[in-house]
């Protein structure tokens, strides 16, 4: 829609910090405002006005000026070249004074009433005036919510121009307008955006912009100013479908938000930039609480780029980190597929309140009664729409979760409802929180989505179904497990903790367990030379304090004796189930073999029941190609039948941990598990992903597995076509005597097939 423009007001804002393309990126306050009125119909320029904002420091010195605003009309005294100079003590005073002087000048001209601002780019309005006013809760005059970008208007006639490199001097040079400016601020000079813009340069730029507008209004351009830029006055809530396409170049991630912040607080932080409808989505953690992050979707890439310049700007006393994000990230948080939710959130200008802790038998009538005024109470908080204003959250099978969302027509009713926080409904107290549309989508998506791992993937080679992973009772307990280590503990700290028992450690016998992020889990296994020394160490060192040389923290450490079989089981991602402890002759509480705090514990608990998936190779074909693997999973000797850790119908999925190198000075021989002179089986099948592309093939593989108590001739490279094409960086299959990670040297990612 083309709008009539009677006057343009050329405006330039300058701060005490960076200028140019970095204007407003350093959160510096507005210090100078220069403007000039342009009469579009008569093609005339008004006088140049300069407004200086100087904080009032008289309160600190005990003096008080009688007037907050001082007008100066002498050009010589100021030196900036402006016709009129004004001084204000605060941003609010400055904005009101600007609006007052502008209104008086327009009324005195008498050529019309339609007035729009015009700036060199977007930064003066969007990145300086609106953000500072929002942070100080200062109302902004209406004239600052619509403006013309002179660069975009110029580009309509010079389409080859780049908006990012365009400036006032380049436009003046293209229109053959003489500009008498210092060489350092000229069109050919390399401007330092971190430099403060001098007051006289700001006045000259406003004068040049006025001449550019007059040139564009004249022949041969005869430019018409229409369709001004708009600044959103209010954030609009709304819904987003998962089927909607969201451009990757319009989304950012804000991190470090206060826990009590809402979508309106986010919109206030990005004031001056236009957020898409329903484009502020607060992220929730696994417990359904806000985690201090939010995804924000803007109307265009230009506004997203301006939002990135607010990286580490402040919301209250906290600085907010701003990063790029993708449309997929936004849809995961704010997108929904339920028609019921879409209908519930389609009512605009509604306040959402979340109820948590509802009885599973709660009904719409009980919720309505909960928010109805009690006897003798005048405060009312009626639910908007009655039953239609209540949305219960349910599992996919229809069972209630104890959560619900309720709509209220206005902020007053919502605040009255929130005062019922922790009141009783039935026999339970109810928690009430102010919520957002994106939070409704997240909660519904989380409860209605399918399990993360509904069916386990098929293994490359079928495993033996009757393999028992629990070690046999009565093993030699010649190992130690240390639990509760400081996370900064090193090998040297462990050796210092063991003291005299350090001499009883087997070569390469210290194994620190890492989680899947590569960080210490607080567990460690140590192989001792004898069971007697292991028991003595556990009795003497149990719950003694270990100090770390790399950190000030110290913790008491639990020390338990265990067997090599039990150590191998826990290191390979398994755990000893409480349901099978009756088969052991020793007490469960004395073993210390609870699972390590690693992700492998959650990936393979005994309670998982995977749907059997067809293997790539059937069992008969696998047995004809490869030897049985059950005899070499934990030790080279056969395992007797016993405890059923996994159901016989389920596939076996192992998760392995990484280890620190062996203690300094240990021999190069390996004694991880004792083995008989000869093996009853040629070995297991191991895959080694992560090989370099320029590797020397078999030679590198032999060097990688040296020290595994097996002659190098036994390493055979198998054709990878047996299990499908291997991706780049994966070595072929390899036959090894037994599964074990390399105890020293570089880390090998070995996957047992």
């Amino acid at each position: 829609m083309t709008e009539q423009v009677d006057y343009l007001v050329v405006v330039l804002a300058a701060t005490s910090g960076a200028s140019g393309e970095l204007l407003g990126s350093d959160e510096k306050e507005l210090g100078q405002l220069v403007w000039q009125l342009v009469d579009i119909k008569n093609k005339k320029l008004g006088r140049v006005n300069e407004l200086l904002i100087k904080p009032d420091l008289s309160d600190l010195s005990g003096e008080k000026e009688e007037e907050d605003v001082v007008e100066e009309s002498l050009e010589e005294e100021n030196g900036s070249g402006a016709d009129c100079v004004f001084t204000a003590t605060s941003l609010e005073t400055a904005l009101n004074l600007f609006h007052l002087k502008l209104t008086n000048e327009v009324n005195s001209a008498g050529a019309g009433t339609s007035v729009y601002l015009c700036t060199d780019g977007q930064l003066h309005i969007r990145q300086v005036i609106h953000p500072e006013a929002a942070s100080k809760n200062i109302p902004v005059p209406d004239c600052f919510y619509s403006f013309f970008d002179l660069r975009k208007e110029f580009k309509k006639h010079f389409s080859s121009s780049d908006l990012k490199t365009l400036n006032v001097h380049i436009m003046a040079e293209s229109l053959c307008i003489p500009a008498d400016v210092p060489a350092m601020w000229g069109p050919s000079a390399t401007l330092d955006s971190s430099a403060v813009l001098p007051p006289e340069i700001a006045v000259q730029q406003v004068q040049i912009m006025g001449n550019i507008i007059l040139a564009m209004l004249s022949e041969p351009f005869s430019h018409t100013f229409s369709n001004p830029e708009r600044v959103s006055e209010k954030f609009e809530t709304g819904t987003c479908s998962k089927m909607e396409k969201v451009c990757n170049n319009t989304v950012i991630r804000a991190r470090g938000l206060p826990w009590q912040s809402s979508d309106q607080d986010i919109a206030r932080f990005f004031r001056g930039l236009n957020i898409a409808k329903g484009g502020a989505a607060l992220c929730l953690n696994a417990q359904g609480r806000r985690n201090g992050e939010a995804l924000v979707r803007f109307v265009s890439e230009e506004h997203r780029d301006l939002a990135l310049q607010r990286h580490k700007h402040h919301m209250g006393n906290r600085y907010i980190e701003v990063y790029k994000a993708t449309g997929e990230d936004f849809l995961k948080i704010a997108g929904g597929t339920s028609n019921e939710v879409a209908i519930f959130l389609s009512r605009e200008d509604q306040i959402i309140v979340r109820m948590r802790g509802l009885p599973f038998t709660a009904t719409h009538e009980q919720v309505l009664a909960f928010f109805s005024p009690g006897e003798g109470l005048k405060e009312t908080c009626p639910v908007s729409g009655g039953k239609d204003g209540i949305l219960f959250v349910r599992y996919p099978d229809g069972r209630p979760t104890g959560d619900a969302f309720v709509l209220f027509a206005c902020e007053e009713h919502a605040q009255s409802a929130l005062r019922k926080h922790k009141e009783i409904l039935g026999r339970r107290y109810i928690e009430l929180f102010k919520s957002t549309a994106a939070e409704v989508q997240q909660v519904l998506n989380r409860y209605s989505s399918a399990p993360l791992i509904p069916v386990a993937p098929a293994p490359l080679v079928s495993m033996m179904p009757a393999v028992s992973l629990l070690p046999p009772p009565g093993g030699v307990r010649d190992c130690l497990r240390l639990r509760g280590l400081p996370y900064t503990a090193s090998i040297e700290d462990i050796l210092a903790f063991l003291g005299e028992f350090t001499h009883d450690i087997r070569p390469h016998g210290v194994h620190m367990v890492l989680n899947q992020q590569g960080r210490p889990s607080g567990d460690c296994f140590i192989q001792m030379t004898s069971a007697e020394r292991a028991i003595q160490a556990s009795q003497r060192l149990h719950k003694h304090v270990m100090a770390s040389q790399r950190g000030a923290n110290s913790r008491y450490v639990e020390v338990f004796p265990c067997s090599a079989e039990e150590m191998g089981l826990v290191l390979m991602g398994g755990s000893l189930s409480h349901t099978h402890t009756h088969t052991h002759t020793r007490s469960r509480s004395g073993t210390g073999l609870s699972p390590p705090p690693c992700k492998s514990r959650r990936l393979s608990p005994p309670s998982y029941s995977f749907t059997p998936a067809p293997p790539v190779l059937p069992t008969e074909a696998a047995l004809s190609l490869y030897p049985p693997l059950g005899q070499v999973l934990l030790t080279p000797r056969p395992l007797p039948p016993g405890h059923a850790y996994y159901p016989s119908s389920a596939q076996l999925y192992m998760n392995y941990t990484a280890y620190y190198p062996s203690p300094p000075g240990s021999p190069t021989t390996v004694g991880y598990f004792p083995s008989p002179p000869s093996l009853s089986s040629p070995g297991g099948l191991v895959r080694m992903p992560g090989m370099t592309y320029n590797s020397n093939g078999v030679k590198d593989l032999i060097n990688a597995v040296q020290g595994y108590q097996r002659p190098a001739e036994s390493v055979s490279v198998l054709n990878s076509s047996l299990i499908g094409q291997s991706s780049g960086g994966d070595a072929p299959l390899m036959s090894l005597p037994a599964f074990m990670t390399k105890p020293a040297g570089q880390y090998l990612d070995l996957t047992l097939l």
Side-chain angles (χ1 to χ4, degrees), residues 522-541:
D523 279 39
C524 175
F525 285 95
I526 300 175
Q527 292 177 281
M528 307 292 286
T529 56
S530 65
E532 291 76 12
R533 295 296 289 173
I535 294 176
Q536 291 177 12
S538 65
Q539 292 175 348
R540 189 176 303 178
L541 301 176

Side-chain angles (χ1 to χ4, degrees), residues 449-460:
S449 60
L452 295 177
I453 312 178
V455 178
L460 295 176

Side-chain angles (χ1 to χ4, degrees), residues 565-602:
E565 294 85 358
E566 293 169 336
M567 177 185 68
L569 170 63
V570 176
L571 287 179
M572 293 171 65
S575 61
L576 294 180
S577 173
H578 289 272
T579 58
H580 305 293
T581 55
H582 63 277
T583 59
H584 290 271
T585 58
R586 58 183 178 272
S587 171
R588 168 83 170 128
S589 61
T591 63
L593 283 173
S594 59
C598 305
K599 283 196 172 182
S600 58
R601 172 186 176 187
R602 294 197 299 268

Side-chain angles (χ1 to χ4, degrees), residues 125-367:
I125 301 295
R126 298 190 184 275
Q127 295 287 75
V128 177
I129 295 178
H130 280 284
E132 184 179 347
S135 64
K136 297 180 179 179
N137 293 321
I138 296 174
V140 177
D142 295 339
C143 59
F144 288 99
Y145 286 96
S146 58
F147 66 98
F148 285 98
D149 186 349
L150 188 58
R151 297 185 184 184
K152 293 184 178 180
E153 301 299 322
F154 178 84
K155 188 176 174 62
K156 293 178 181 178
H157 300 282
F158 298 87
S159 57
S160 60
S161 303
D162 185 6
L163 290 177
K164 295 184 178 179
T165 59
L166 204 60
N167 58 40
V168 171
H169 306 292
I170 295 177
M171 290 187 287
E173 187 178 36
S174 301
L175 295 172
C176 300
I177 298 175
D180 185 15
V181 295
M184 63 173 296
W185 298 96
S188 60
T190 303
L191 300 180
D192 184 8
S193 298
S194 61
V196 180
L197 187 68
E200 59 274 11
I201 298 299
V203 172
Q204 292 179 7
Q205 287 192 5
V206 168
Q207 294 173 339
I208 297 174
M209 290 172 63
N211 293 326
I212 292 174
I213 293 175
L214 292 181
M216 294 176 62
L217 293 173
S218 305
E219 297 291 341
F221 304 106
S222 299
H223 183 73
T224 301
F225 287 88
S226 60
N227 300 322
E229 299 280 327
R230 301 288 184 182
V231 179
S232 299
E233 299 185 29
K234 182 180 179 182
F235 170 69
E236 298 183 30
T237 60
T239 60
C240 179
S241 171
K242 282 189 176 293
M243 307 304 295
E244 185 177 344
K245 292 184 179 180
V246 178
C247 179
N248 291 333
N249 296 328
T250 61
V251 182
I252 61 95
R253 180 184 297 273
R255 181 180 301 166
L257 299 168
W259 306 112
Q260 69 276 14
S261 60
S262 64
D263 52 357
Q264 297 295 336
D265 297 322
I266 297 173
R268 187 180 300 109
F269 176 79
F270 290 107
R271 183 68 59 82
L273 308 178
N274 295 346
I275 300 176
K277 184 177 180 179
L282 293 162
C283 302
L284 306 180
N285 58 18
Q287 289 73 37
R289 305 181 186 274
R290 297 169 185 173
N291 62 3
E293 294 189 5
L295 290 167
V296 186
R297 176 189 179 190
F298 295 92
V299 295
S300 66
E301 181 180 358
E302 179 184 23
H303 289 242
R304 191 284 306 265
D305 293 340
L306 293 178
L308 293 174
Q309 294 186 12
R310 301 193 187 183
H311 179 61
K312 291 195 174 181
H313 282 204
H314 288 77
M315 179 185 291
N317 296 326
R318 299 175 63 98
Y319 71 84
I320 308 300
E321 300 174 355
V322 182
Y323 304 99
K324 291 182 180 179
T326 64
E328 182 181 359
D329 296 335
F330 182 80
L331 289 177
K332 288 180 180 178
I333 300 299
T337 57
S338 172
N339 292 331
E340 183 183 8
V341 178
I343 295 174
F344 177 78
L345 296 176
S346 62
R347 304 178 181 87
E348 298 182 359
D349 300 329
Q350 302 284 340
I351 310 299
I352 306 174
V353 172
R354 180 180 179 182
M355 304 180 68
R356 191 165 60 192
L358 288 169
F360 294 145
T361 57
T363 62
H364 291 83
E365 290 76 11
Q366 290 177 318
V367 174

